[in-house]
Each structure stands twice: as C-alpha cells, then as structure tokens.
Amino acid sequence: MSDKVYNVLIVGVGGQGIILASDVLSRAAARYGYDVKKNEIHGMAQRGGSVSSHVRFGKSVSSPIIKTGEADVLLSFEQIEAVRYFPFLAETGKVILNDHKILPPAVFTGKQEYPPDVIEKIKAKVPDAVVVDGLAVAEQVGNPRVVNVVFLGVLSAFLDIPATTYEEVLKESLKPKLVDVNLKAFHQGRALAAA
Amino acid sequence: MGNEAIARGVIEAGCGVAAAYPGTPSSEVLESLVRWKKELGHPIYVEWSINEKVAFEIAYGASLAGNRAMAAMKMVGLNVASDPFLSAAYLGVRGGLVVVVADDPGPHSSQTEQDSRFFGWFAKVPVLDPGTPQEALAMALRAFELSEKYELPVLLRPCLRVCHARQNIRLGNPAPLKDVGRFARNWTRWAAIPKYRLVLHGQLNEKLQTIIQEEPESRPRLVLGDGRAELAVITSGSVSSHVRDIAAADDRLSGLDVYKIDLPYPADAAALQEVVDTHERTLVIEETYPVLELQLKDRRTVLGRLSGHVPPQGELVPEIVEDLLRSAADIPALERTPVEVKPRRPSLCPGCPHRPAFFMIRKTFENAVYTGDIGCYTLGINMGAVDTCLCMGASVGMAGGLAKAPRPGDEHRVVATIGDSTFYHAGVPALINAVHTRASFVLVIMDNGTTAMTGGQPTPASPSLADGSPGTAVDMERLVRGCGVDHVQVVDPYDHAALKETLESARKHTFDEGKGVSVVITRRPCVRMPGVEISLQRFRITEQCDLCMSCVRDLECPAIHYVKGEKRMEIDQDLCAGCGFCVQVCPSQAVEPKGA
C-alpha cells in the first residue's frame, strides 16, 4: 500500500449507476485499509442532470472533495460529462471514457448540437485515455445493466487495491443472483484496461 | 454517509421520538433511523410529518413528555419551523431535544444559502457544526447531553458536504430509551404569558453564558500548527476539512495555525479574540455567513467576509479555500481552468405524469400566469408552464395575490400548480384563504402519491407511515372540498381527452362564469416508485411526421429527439416509458404503437 492520496472522480448522468460504482470503490478502499472520504451531489441529478462522485483515499484524508487539477483518474460514463469535468484531471491523470452519448435537453430539442469529436479531442490531450463501449461489453457479459461494474473493473487496474477486495465488496453488496454477472463484468473491464 | 451517522448518534443517545419533513440534503436522516429501528429492533418512534413546523412540535411535545427527541429538516424547513423554534429556546425543554438542520452552500438543490448557525444565534439556541460524518455522530450524542444539561433545544448543523459524505464510521452501542420523568404541569413555564417570558429570557441568557464558561466546544482548538505562526485560520464545519487537507499538503502553507471551533454559537468571544490578538493576521473560513467573524470584537487584522476577502456567496469549494489560504500567506495565485460545457439541465422523467398535465395546462390556458411550487414539477419551467417558484406552498398564495391585482385589458388568468406533498405541507391554508376571499384562479394539484423529488417519502394520503406501520390516509378530495372548494375534479393525466375536458370545465367555472377557485387533481403515481407498472408498449414515428417539433418543444420528452443528418424524429426505445401521450397529442398523428 502506497503513501499517496488517490483522487478518483466518477462522472456521468443521473441513472447510470455512478453512485453504486463509487460506493463499491470506496468500500473496497476502506476494506484494504485506506482512510476514505467520498462525496456526491444528489437532488436534481436524479432527473437526468449531471452527477459527480468524488472518492479520495490514502493514509489520512479529511476533505471529501477533489480540487481541479488533482484527479488521478477521471472516469466518465458519458462523453460531454468527460469534457465538463476535464479541468479536474491532474497533469499525469488517467481518463477512462464510456463511448456513450446522452443527449441533454438543449440537444434533443434541436436548440444546440452535441459537441462533435469528443473522443478525439480527449485523446489529443490524454493519448492513453481508455475508451470502452461499456454497453457492448455489458451485453456480451449477459446484462446491459452492469455497465457501471465493467468500468469499475477498468478503473481498478489503475489503483492500488487488489481485485479480490473488490470481489468481496461486490459479493456483499449485491443480490446473490446478480453476483456472478457482476463479477464477470468486473473482470472483463479489468482485462480491457490491461490490454 | 453523514446523515446515517447522525441517525446512528440519535439511536446511540436513546432518543425516543423522531420527526422530519424530507428535503435535500437532510432526507436520509429519518430514512436511516427507520433502517436502524428495524435492524436493531430499537423502540424509537419515527414519522414523516406534514411539514417542518409540525415535525418540530412533535419533537418538542415528546421532550416535554420526558423523552429524548429529534426533528430533522433542510435549512428552509427551519424557516417554516421558526415560530416554535424561537419560543422553545425561551421555554426550554425536558428530555434532550436536537434539531438537525442541513445547510446547502452552493446552493446545489435549495432556494437559499442561509446559514443555520445564524438562525441558532437569532433564536439563542446553541449550534454544533460537524466537519465530517464521524464528527457528526459524536456531535449528535453531545447535542442530546447539552440539551438536557441546559434544558435548551440544540441545533446540529451539518452542511451538504457532511450529509452526503461517506467514510468508515466507528459505531457505539444503541442505548435504551432515556427517560427524564413524566410531564409535570407548570404553566408559568410551558404556557408562559409575557410576564414570565421576560423571566425565561433572562434565564436563557444565563444558560448561554454558562455554556461559554463551562463547555470546551465553545472555544477554538488548535488542529494544525504550534500556535506561534504569523497567520492563523479560524474555521468551523465541513469547510474545515478542506482547510486541513490543503494546509497539510502544501509545504509553503505548513506554517499555518488552524483553529477549529465545534460550537460556533455561543462561541467564547474572548478566546476567539485571543487567537486574533496573538497572530499577525487571522483568516476566518466558515460557511455561509460571518457567524464567527461577527463574534470578534476587534477585527482590524481579520481577513474574512466582512473585510471583503472571502466571497460573500457560493460554496467554499477546495479551490476557493486554496486561493484564500495562498493569498493570506502571500503565495502567488494558481491559474484555474474554467469548465467548458454548459450545464446539463434536468428534465421531467420519460413517462412522468406531470408532463401531460403541464402540456395541457399550456394548451387550455394560453397567456395565463402560471404560479409554480417546490418539487420535481418546478421543471415545468422547461415547458413554459411554470413562471414563479418562491417557496413551499407559494403557488397557491401568490395565485390569490395575482388574481386580486388584475391589469386593465389583461385576462388576469392565473393557474397554479402544486404537488400533493407540498399541498399538504403549506398549500391548504392558502386555498382556504382563496375560497374565503373569492379569489379567481385554477389550482392543479399534481398528485403522484409521493414526495418524489426527495426520494419518495410518504404523504398524509399514504396508507402507511415512515416505518411501514399502518396510518390513516387523508383523502385529498375531501380535504379540498373541506377547504370550501365546490368545483373539484380528479383526472388521469395520461388520458388526453379527459384531461382536456376537465381543464376546460375548470376554465369555464372560474374564468367564464366567475364562480371562484376551481381545483383539478391530476392523479397518477410517479413512474420512479417501486411497484409502479411501466408500460412495455413502444412506439415509432411514421412518415407522416412533418417535423413540427411539438413533441420535443411542447412535450419536452427526453425519449424523442431529432436526427440531424436524416431530417427525422426518433424515439429512444430504452428511455421511452410507454406512456403514449405523444400518440395522443401529435398534430400530424405520426406516432403509432409498435406491432399495430
């Protein structure tokens, strides 16, 4: 276990399973022995708004919020959200991006266009950004609703917490019949990060 | 989560009665109490009250009966409960009475950024201000002790960043119910007339003085540094965590002395002043009003809100705290990258029963003034069907005022919309007022059977209570008729024809015939509630579509969007909830059920 404070920012749109993913991450970090603080914005986010969950862990952490320029990993479940939260990324930070668009009202009502070439722009800034079509992987695993755990798997490859710790937390926090498909999704994601 | 930790503290204090009205970021306190009650078999009584004033009075009554009691609410809820709150400080309590009031600097999902510590000061009620969830648990326990010791209500003020922060928590043991003895009649105290209120006010002032002298939390405590630095920081609450982390992470800031105060009111002003006097400069970082700063007598070397150093509005996020610390320590400012993308606006959910109701209100009452209220349905703004949003219940009261102030040549038509829970909370007296004064407006009560915005808490119309035990459902139609309204109609908002006819009938009654206020109840459960059956029927858009955009502009359905390159509309089959309202309202009849 390192002395470093890890800052992980998970973002997306209400309903994408962000809170569950960050819950599992923070519980795994705590179980492995880190001091963990976590914070997220609730409320209007449930109605299709932007959601962000901050997870900070290390030997000793007080504040539950990440500053701009400080995130070691930015995991975004949606393309525009990655752009929105990009200023939070540290210079050496990693980006994990779901290849998925959720049209905001200004776009679906035709008032604005969805920003083009988001992935290309992010890759220009962070060449080793990991871009995954989460839904395709989840469907391949056998359940379109495990996209969040696929990305938890990808994320886990960049952090100093053993895979077995995540497995234990997943087993504890899920209904028994959902455990297998989620473990599969986790490992599939973890393998993608290594590839 | 911080709110769970507070609930755990309430259980560990042996609290017997807890009441709350939901509101972000406070709602999980009572929800967690329900969970602990069930998991531990703890005998605490829990309820979602009709509003915060009643919640406070429930807790106050229980305290007089000799129990420890808690009331929980968000900051604006304390405004509603302010009348009994201020009086209770004079009269005092018997069993420990703790009021948990969650503040929302930002504001992230609230109407104001008011500082409840200031409210505590105004009411002369002691305030504990936790910085982390673990501290919140400890302070919940401490709040009950202080309350009982001084026979005063105590306010526990967590900010959103404590309420919704998570960390591992060390738990203590749940305590059996505390009992301070049965209610003892004493009208000079519990029903004090003005003569005795003067006496009680004097006693209250003495209690506050004793707290300052005897309780260590009223004094600043050094949490970082050795007390000999040039620059001191005085801080309290959740923002103190940012101060500690930032000061600890930056070597150039390591010479700081950081003082934290757990009881910002009543603070030991002399001890605070001593910090200021023994340092060259003192920076005060607190949310959201200058409560500690104002308790300092000599502020010549103090940097804070009153000196213009700290922004007077907005959340003190870590970036701002870092800027403040650097500037106070004469370290050059950092460059910050601004956020590029426009914020993502929330929308009513696909299938939300409020959507067709707003759509038809717009069609039926063109050019009306639409007074709105607090809840998911404030999002009727997106559909042009909500013009005002002031506070809980104001849609009805303001509609009365707008109706009484017509402009010449104006149709002076006013249509108010309010949700079921908000109607029970604060809409009822305003409706009685409207009937009595013959105010002329249409009130649409959007009844989805729950308090949806805050996560689906029961309303007085629910047959069961917070913990699932049976309650008596208060019938809304009977209530509305009981308020004196004759023209009351109930309609399913998914039924296009019936909704249209019902609203037209209300228009005729109120505006054409001038027969006074009419009420339409649009009733259908929230699509987000467990057990609500979602239609599996899906739809497609046919070639008859002439791209009029009514479905995205007027109906504002997130499941329908324009495909630019192909010049056609498309329904997202995954987002669609199958309500079928688009089929009924499409002017070109270009939406048809799949499989038809």
Side-chain angles (χ1 to χ4, degrees):
Chain A
M1 188 183 296
S2 69
D3 282 349
K4 170 181 167 46
V5 172
Y6 286 87
N7 293 306
V8 179
L9 183 61
I10 307 181
V11 302
V13 176
Q16 288 193 296
I18 292 155
I19 306 296
L20 179 102
S22 66
D23 268 352
V24 175
L25 169 62
S26 45
R27 286 161 72 182
R31 174 176 287 237
Y32 191 53
Y34 287 113
D35 185 18
V36 185
K37 289 277 167 23
K38 168 178 187 286
N39 197 290
E40 61 241 355
I41 298 299
H42 293 218
M44 300 297 272
Q46 278 188 23
R47 317 290 163 239
S50 171
V51 179
S52 64
S53 182
H54 299 231
V55 182
R56 307 188 67 221
F57 56 92
K59 255 191 179 165
S60 167
V61 181
S62 297
S63 165
I65 329 182
I66 299 168
K67 291 199 301 277
T68 48
E70 210 187 43
D72 298 296
V73 186
L74 170 63
L75 163 55
S76 179
F77 283 79
E78 203 276 344
Q79 289 189 15
I80 305 187
E81 297 306 311
V83 179
R84 188 193 312 281
Y85 289 97
F86 198 81
F88 281 88
L89 194 67
E91 271 175 38
T92 54
K94 303 281 178 200
V95 174
I96 304 167
L97 179 60
N98 187 10
D99 185 2
H100 184 65
K101 294 179 186 177
I102 296 176
L103 306 186
V107 174
F108 74 69
T109 56
K111 283 180 204 142
Q112 281 174 26
E113 283 199 52
Y114 195 95
D117 310 325
V118 169
I119 293 177
E120 288 72 14
K121 283 176 188 162
I122 287 191
K123 283 211 157 173
K125 289 182 188 167
V126 185
D128 65 351
V130 182
V131 181
V132 174
D133 182 346
L135 188 61
V137 179
E139 277 171 351
Q140 183 199 332
V141 169
N143 186 337
R145 310 201 75 138
V146 297
V147 173
N148 55 350
V149 178
V150 170
F151 280 100
L152 184 70
V154 179
L155 175 64
S156 72
F158 298 100
L159 304 171
D160 187 12
I161 302 168
T164 47
T165 312
Y166 294 95
E167 287 174 9
E168 287 162 20
V169 175
L170 282 169
K171 280 178 197 161
E172 271 174 19
S173 44
L174 294 165
K175 284 182 189 160
K177 63 174 181 182
L178 292 174
V179 167
D180 280 349
V181 68
N182 276 283
L183 288 180
K184 223 169 134 189
F186 177 80
H187 284 289
Q188 193 75 23
R190 199 170 161 92
L192 280 168
Chain B
M1 187 192 281
N3 284 339
E4 289 175 288
I6 290 169
R8 180 69 192 199
V10 170
I11 292 279
E12 290 179 12
C15 175
V17 171
Y21 184 80
T24 311
S26 72
S27 310
E28 297 85 359
V29 174
L30 198 94
E31 284 173 351
S32 307
L33 279 175
V34 170
R35 209 186 76 221
W36 293 122
K37 175 183 164 78
K38 286 181 181 163
E39 280 179 13
L40 302 168
H42 194 272
I44 188 171
Y45 167 78
V46 290
E47 74 166 47
W48 287 116
S49 305
I50 192 166
N51 62 34
E52 294 87 351
K53 179 176 185 287
V54 172
F56 182 87
E57 289 158 352
I58 295 288
Y60 190 70
S63 160
L64 259 55
N67 284 264
R68 286 189 165 183
M70 181 219 73
M73 59 200 67
K74 69 186 291 179
M75 79 310 293
V76 286
L78 186 58
N79 302 345
V80 177
S82 60
D83 201 358
F85 181 66
L86 268 78
S87 263
Y90 278 46
L91 270 49
V93 306
R94 293 187 72 241
L97 172 61
V98 175
V99 190
V100 179
V101 184
D103 280 359
D104 182 12
H108 292 276
S109 42
S110 303
Q111 301 92 303
T112 71
E113 290 191 297
Q114 66 192 71
D115 186 334
S116 298
R117 300 175 310 158
F118 225 8
F119 216 128
W121 189 349
F122 176 49
K124 300 195 173 182
V125 167
V127 184
L128 286 162
D129 191 11
T132 62
Q134 183 74 57
E135 233 176 52
L137 191 161
M139 284 190 183
L141 280 162
R142 184 74 175 119
F144 280 104
E145 277 173 29
L146 287 172
S147 172
E148 235 156 62
K149 180 173 172 189
Y150 294 97
E151 298 193 359
L152 269 179
V154 171
L155 199 159
L156 178 64
R157 190 287 293 249
C159 285
L160 172 120
R161 300 296 184 179
V162 168
C163 294
H164 288 172
R166 287 169 194 268
Q167 68 169 111
N168 266 11
I169 300 274
R170 291 179 301 277
L171 302 181
N173 291 324
L177 297 191
K178 187 101 194 301
D179 183 1
V180 302
R182 65 162 52 225
F183 177 71
R185 184 174 286 167
N186 175 6
W187 72 266
T188 62
R189 182 156 177 204
W190 309 124
I193 55 172
K195 184 173 91 174
Y196 293 107
R197 295 268 175 156
L198 176 64
V199 176
L200 289 166
H201 190 188
Q203 291 172 359
L204 171 59
N205 289 329
E206 280 168 24
K207 288 177 188 177
L208 293 169
Q209 280 310 311
T210 315
I211 290 173
I212 291 170
Q213 283 155 19
E214 289 193 6
E215 305 305 334
E217 289 98 333
S218 71
R219 283 181 281 283
R221 101 190 124 86
L222 188 65
V223 292
L224 206 68
D226 57 8
R228 282 180 290 189
E230 285 178 19
L231 178 64
V233 179
I234 297 178
T235 183
S236 121
S238 58
V239 73
S240 68
S241 304
H242 311 331
V243 173
R244 288 166 82 159
D245 273 3
I246 291 163
D250 190 334
D251 288 342
R252 284 168 300 177
L253 291 171
S254 59
L256 282 180
D257 288 335
V258 178
Y259 295 86
K260 180 174 182 297
I261 188 156
D262 295 331
L263 190 75
Y265 180 80
D268 183 339
L272 278 174
Q273 191 66 50
E274 201 187 317
V275 172
V276 172
D277 294 347
T278 53
H279 292 81
E280 266 183 43
R281 278 160 299 149
T282 302
L283 175 63
V284 183
I285 300 185
E286 54 184 329
E287 283 181 323
T288 45
Y289 292 174
V291 170
L292 294 170
E293 210 179 337
L294 279 166
Q295 292 181 77
L296 289 164
K297 288 194 178 64
D298 180 357
R299 292 193 291 267
R300 282 175 298 180
T301 58
V302 173
L303 313 173
R305 288 209 163 83
L306 298 170
S307 69
H309 283 83
V310 177
Q313 67 277 316
E315 183 180 13
L316 295 178
V317 293
E319 288 85 351
I320 294 176
V321 172
E322 187 171 37
D323 289 348
L324 289 169
L325 291 174
R326 290 175 79 102
S327 133
D330 290 325
I331 303 171
L334 290 167
E335 269 188 45
R336 305 262 180 218
T337 324
V339 174
E340 293 170 29
V341 185
K342 285 186 185 166
R344 188 180 281 269
R345 180 185 85 187
S347 284
L348 294 170
C349 305
C352 173
H354 298 334
R355 174 172 285 106
F358 280 127
F359 176 87
M360 201 55 80
I361 288 169
R362 277 294 306 269
K363 295 275 171 207
T364 312
F365 303 97
E366 280 180 77
N367 302 320
V369 177
Y370 309 109
T371 60
D373 226 297
I374 309 278
C376 296
Y377 49 88
T378 310
L379 295 172
I381 293 169
N382 296 344
M383 299 173 69
V386 167
D387 294 324
T388 71
C389 174
L390 182 66
C391 67
M392 293 288 284
S395 61
V396 191
M398 283 175 65
L402 280 155
K404 292 291 181 190
R407 288 278 172 273
D410 181 358
E411 304 247 41
H412 58 81
R413 290 183 172 180
V414 184
V415 181
T417 49
I418 191 168
D420 46 339
S421 182
T422 309
F423 176 67
Y424 287 113
H425 176 286
V428 174
L431 181 58
I432 296 172
N433 194 71
V435 171
H436 177 61
T437 58
R438 299 186 177 176
S440 175
F441 62 87
V442 173
L443 171 63
V444 180
I445 304 176
M446 300 178 142
D447 182 5
N448 60 5
T450 185
T451 317
M453 187 82 223
T454 49
Q457 295 78 9
T459 75
S462 311
S464 57
L465 304 178
D467 59 356
S469 60
T472 298
V474 176
D475 184 87
M476 187 180 287
E477 289 96 292
R478 277 173 65 191
L479 174 63
V480 171
R481 284 187 198 283
C483 291
V485 180
D486 295 327
H487 199 77
V488 186
Q489 304 167 91
V490 182
V491 67
D492 175 1
Y494 273 17
D495 184 340
H496 177 248
L499 178 61
K500 188 163 186 271
E501 194 185 308
T502 307
L503 289 171
E504 277 170 0
S505 155
R507 184 182 66 193
K508 189 162 163 252
H509 176 90
T510 298
F511 299 131
D512 302 345
E513 296 169 2
K515 290 181 179 167
V517 66
S518 56
V519 172
V520 174
I521 301 170
T522 57
R523 177 168 294 152
R524 180 167 270 269
C526 171
V527 287
R528 294 255 170 186
M529 288 306 106
V532 170
E533 219 171 289
I534 305 287
S535 164
L536 294 175
Q537 178 67 56
R538 289 294 176 269
F539 304 91
R540 69 165 156 257
I541 294 170
T542 68
E543 284 161 4
Q544 285 184 56
C545 172
D546 62 0
L547 299 177
C548 76
M549 297 284 168
S550 169
C551 50
V552 292
R553 190 188 56 232
D554 303 334
L555 202 55
E556 209 237 356
C557 181
I560 310 177
H561 61 269
Y562 177 56
V563 187
K564 201 136 199 169
E566 302 168 34
K567 293 201 170 171
R568 63 181 180 87
M569 307 302 292
E570 189 178 73
I571 297 176
D572 184 320
Q573 301 296 323
D574 190 35
L575 282 176
C576 175
C579 72
F581 199 71
C582 53
V583 179
Q584 301 179 62
V585 300
C586 175
S588 325
Q589 295 173 324
V591 190
E592 65 175 27
K594 280 192 165 180

